[in-house]
Every structure is written in structure tokens, then in C-alpha cells.
Amino acid sequence: MERLELVATCPMGLEAIVARELMDLGYTEQQTDNGSVTFYGTVRDIARTNLWLRTADRILIRMGRFPASTFDELFEGTKALPWEQWIGGDAEFPVQGKSHKSQLTSVPACQGIVKKAIVEKLKQSYHTEWFEETGPRYVIEVALLKDIATLTIDTTGPSLHKRGYRKLVTEAPLKETLAAAMVILSRWGPHRPLYDPFCGSGTIPIEAALIAWNVAPGLRRTFPSDQWPQIGEDIWDDVRDEAYDSVKDDIPLEIAGSDIDPSAIEVAEAAVKAAGLHREIRLSIGPAAKIRPTGDYGCFITNPPYGERLGTEKEADAALKQFGSSFIHYPSWSLFALSPNKEFEQYIGRKAEKKRKLYNGRIECQLYQYLGPLPPRS
């Protein structure tokens, strides 16, 4: 198990950002596909990438890929893989599945075949007819696409967007992974102010602060692979210690946000406090027409409300119009706004310098980018 084929899954549109994150972590050998980036590493890298990737959803171990247009092919292909290297005699190993454009269309049947094949393989290794499944958890997925079966083991558990600081949620929260992607794409740094005029539950300001202080996003949570003997407690402890040593919490931050909804600010304040950032992030209640960010050469990074998510279309348009009227008073500031509204640029009063297609859940959006002047070099 020296060299593992690992897969970082992600929402459509974020593949290049995940690939860049992996490159920054030193994983230079990689292949990008729709919704995933494949890279290579050791068991230590399972722990490291789960802790550090900000825009990925999960880290999977790819066990194998083979043609499977019949149940016999699926069974034999699965049984041929080295499951005994990962799954111990007491391990829990549920099987999940999906199928697209394949002859094997019954997902429950495919899950059953894969489970049976793994059990048969493990019987040979452990010389037993029964598995209690009371030990560490290894979630296996069989994915069928155009009669090709790909089998993986999930190392992450709940998606990586669940950082652990958000106990309460607003009606339509922005996922932490997408908020982090917006901050990364803005190229904002802590030498500039940041303001979110539609901050909701505070996700964008919190993710920006974590990036600025180099806080590993997975530090506040656990993973099923914490319990895997193949990785071991020593490796997890070492990787977490390295992450704690990398924190740069002496960097001053000028991050603020506001929202017209008092209940949203209440949720945001709880999340900011849970993230340990209540002294660094300022939050206030108010409409976009009355925002008062301080400083020059700052960044507005925001996910404005829209009818598909919150309120009515009329209310969402009114909020955008208010912000557009405010934005013109900050000529040195840049704006990065995620919205599906085709009329967004009209409300801002000019064309965006750049646009990038991203998905907020299943909603196709554009990241509208208005690039203000850069701060003068000191």
C-alpha cells in the first residue's frame, strides 16, 4: 500500500481550484475529471488532504476500475480487488452505489453483488463465515458509468464542507467549500479589507479568516479514517500537530459582514464564535443600502439573495439594486458576487470584468468579478 490512487471529489466547476490546492500541497501528479481530481500518495496523505483541502467534498481511495455489463463481471471484478488490505475481520463495510448509462441499472442489486463479492474475498483471508461488522467503518461505493465499474472507499465521512463551526443554519446557507472557492478566486489577502453585505450565516467571512490565518479547515472535525489501523493514531496526531503549528493567528484582519435579517446575524455570530473568530469578524444588522465598510482597496465577496433561494424575486432584485447604489461609492474596492440573476450587471451599473460559471447546489450561477485597483505597494 505504498502508493495509493486517491480521488478528491468536488462540485462541478471547482475542479481547477481543487487541482490548484493539491498542487500547492505538493501533489503534482494529478488528473482532472468532471467533479473530481485524481492524485497519488500514501496513507499519510489521506489524513493530510482531509485536513487541508478547502474546496473538495471527499477523499476516496480508488480500489479498482473494470468493465461490468453483467452481474457476473461485477462480482468477479470486485472479488479480484485487495479488500483484505483495508477491511479487517471486524470492520463495518456498507456499500453505496450509483449507475448512469449502464446496462446494470438496479443500484440495490449492484450494491448487493459488490457486498457479496467482498465478503467472499474476506472469507478467504480471515477463514470465517460470519463478519460482525462492529469495528472501524469503511464506506464502499460502486459507481457504474457506461458499463465501467469504479470501486472506492470513502475516507472522509460527512462532506468536507462540514467544518464543525456551524451548529445552526439559515434558510439557504452557502456551503463552506463554495465560500472558500469564492475567496480563493478573488485572490483576496489579509492586507485588504473584506466585506460581505449579504453575509447570512457568516460563511464567507469565516472562510476568509481561516484562509488568511492558514487554519486547516478540517482541524475541528473527525473522520472515519481516524479509526483505521492502516493510517494509525500516530500519523493523525502528527498531521494535526503540523496543522496547528502552521496557524498564523497573529495576522491582523479587517473582515466584516452585514445582513438585513436579524436571525441570520444571530446564526452568524454563533458560527463566528464557534470558529474562534469573534474578535476578528465584525457583524451588523442592516440593508445593503446602508453598508459602511472601512478602508480602501477592499473586496466585497458575497452571495446575494435570489428568488430561487430566499424570499421573492422582487425582494431579491430590490436588494441588488440597493447594493448597486452603494457599490459606486467605493471606487477602490473590488466585487466578487455569486448570482444566477441574468440582470445582475444591470443592477451594478456596469459589465463585470470577468465571469465564471459555478454551481450553488444545483443552481447554475455566475461569479461576477469587478476588479478594482490593487493596493499601492508599500
Side-chain angles (χ1 to χ4, degrees):
M1 291 198 299
E2 286 297 316
R3 176 179 159 93
L4 303 173
E5 187 176 0
L6 303 172
V7 182
T9 66
C10 62
M12 293 284 286
L14 298 189
E15 297 91 346
I17 305 170
V18 173
R20 187 200 305 174
E21 283 197 87
L22 286 166
M23 192 72 70
D24 291 342
L25 289 171
Y27 304 101
T28 56
E29 186 182 356
Q30 50 179 258
Q31 295 97 42
T32 300
D33 204 347
N34 289 334
S36 69
V37 181
T38 300
F39 63 105
Y40 301 87
T42 64
V43 290
R44 180 185 179 85
D45 298 306
I46 292 174
R48 191 163 174 255
T49 51
N50 269 304
L51 239 59
W52 278 104
L53 288 180
R54 299 183 189 278
T55 58
D57 283 337
R58 284 185 171 79
I59 305 300
L60 310 176
I61 303 166
R62 181 173 285 151
M63 294 295 293
R65 177 183 285 171
F66 51 85
S69 57
T70 68
F71 287 129
D72 283 344
E73 289 178 338
L74 181 60
F75 181 90
E76 295 300 333
T78 300
K79 189 179 176 184
L81 299 176
W83 299 105
E84 72 283 356
Q85 293 182 7
W86 291 98
I87 301 174
D90 65 341
E92 180 186 5
F93 52 104
V95 178
Q96 300 174 353
K98 56 187 178 182
S99 178
H100 184 62
K101 295 183 179 178
S102 295
Q103 295 185 56
L104 299 178
T105 57
S106 173
V107 172
C110 292
Q111 292 172 178
I113 290 293
V114 168
K115 180 81 173 186
K116 183 178 179 181
I118 296 173
V119 167
E120 290 302 314
K121 182 61 174 285
L122 296 181
K123 282 180 179 179
Q124 298 172 3
S125 298
Y126 299 115
H127 308 292
T128 182
E129 293 294 316
W130 181 255
F131 295 92
E132 293 287 346
E133 297 198 42
T134 56
R137 181 177 173 87
Y138 299 77
V139 177
I140 296 159
E141 181 181 82
V142 51
L144 288 154
L145 176 62
K146 297 180 180 178
D147 295 327
I148 300 294
T150 302
L151 281 95
T152 56
I153 302 177
D154 178 13
T155 74
T156 302
S159 172
L160 288 173
H161 82 269
K162 296 187 176 180
R163 315 287 205 219
Y165 61 73
R166 189 162 67 180
K167 307 301 181 185
L168 304 172
V169 295
T170 51
E171 189 174 343
L174 183 71
K175 279 189 176 181
E176 292 85 340
T177 43
L178 184 53
M182 292 171 64
V183 175
I184 291 169
L185 287 169
S186 76
R187 299 189 181 275
W188 170 82
H191 59 292
R192 304 173 70 180
L194 184 149
Y195 195 98
D196 182 355
F198 304 100
C199 72
S201 56
T203 309
I204 290 173
I206 292 171
E207 290 298 316
L210 296 180
I211 290 171
W213 278 4
N214 199 41
V215 177
L219 264 181
R220 294 178 176 272
R221 57 163 291 176
T222 60
F223 308 89
S225 47
D226 281 340
Q227 307 300 316
W228 293 2
Q230 294 86 354
I231 300 178
E233 199 173 304
D234 289 346
I235 287 179
W236 275 106
D237 288 345
D238 187 44
V239 170
R240 284 194 170 99
D241 286 344
E242 282 186 359
Y244 279 114
D245 291 342
S246 299
V247 173
K248 301 174 182 177
D249 57 2
D250 58 342
I251 297 174
L253 302 177
E254 194 171 343
I255 299 175
S258 60
D259 200 284
I260 198 172
D261 183 0
S263 62
I265 293 298
E266 186 178 349
V267 171
E269 286 175 339
V272 166
K273 186 175 181 180
L277 297 164
H278 57 286
R279 294 179 180 176
E280 281 68 40
I281 296 175
R282 294 179 292 106
L283 299 172
S284 60
I285 302 169
K290 294 185 178 181
I291 58 172
R292 295 293 183 270
T294 57
D296 296 319
Y297 306 104
C299 284
F300 293 107
I301 306 178
T302 191
N303 176 218
Y306 36 91
E308 295 173 78
R309 286 177 62 243
L310 293 170
T312 65
E313 191 172 332
K314 186 176 180 180
E315 291 171 336
D317 290 347
L320 275 182
K321 189 178 294 185
Q322 287 180 5
F323 176 68
S325 299
S326 299
F327 180 53
I328 60 175
H329 298 295
Y330 297 91
S332 72
W333 281 56
S334 300
L335 167 62
F336 299 84
L338 185 72
S339 176
N341 194 324
K342 301 280 196 269
E343 311 300 321
F344 182 89
E345 291 165 305
Q346 293 184 23
Y347 291 115
I348 299 302
R350 61 186 172 95
K351 292 281 188 183
E353 277 77 33
K354 291 183 179 181
K355 290 190 287 187
R356 183 179 182 132
K357 183 163 69 174
L358 296 174
Y359 287 87
N360 189 358
R362 294 184 178 182
I363 302 172
E364 183 180 317
C365 300
Q366 292 288 339
L367 180 64
Y368 293 94
Q369 303 170 56
Y370 294 83
L371 309 179
L374 293 175
R377 293 189 177 185
S378 57

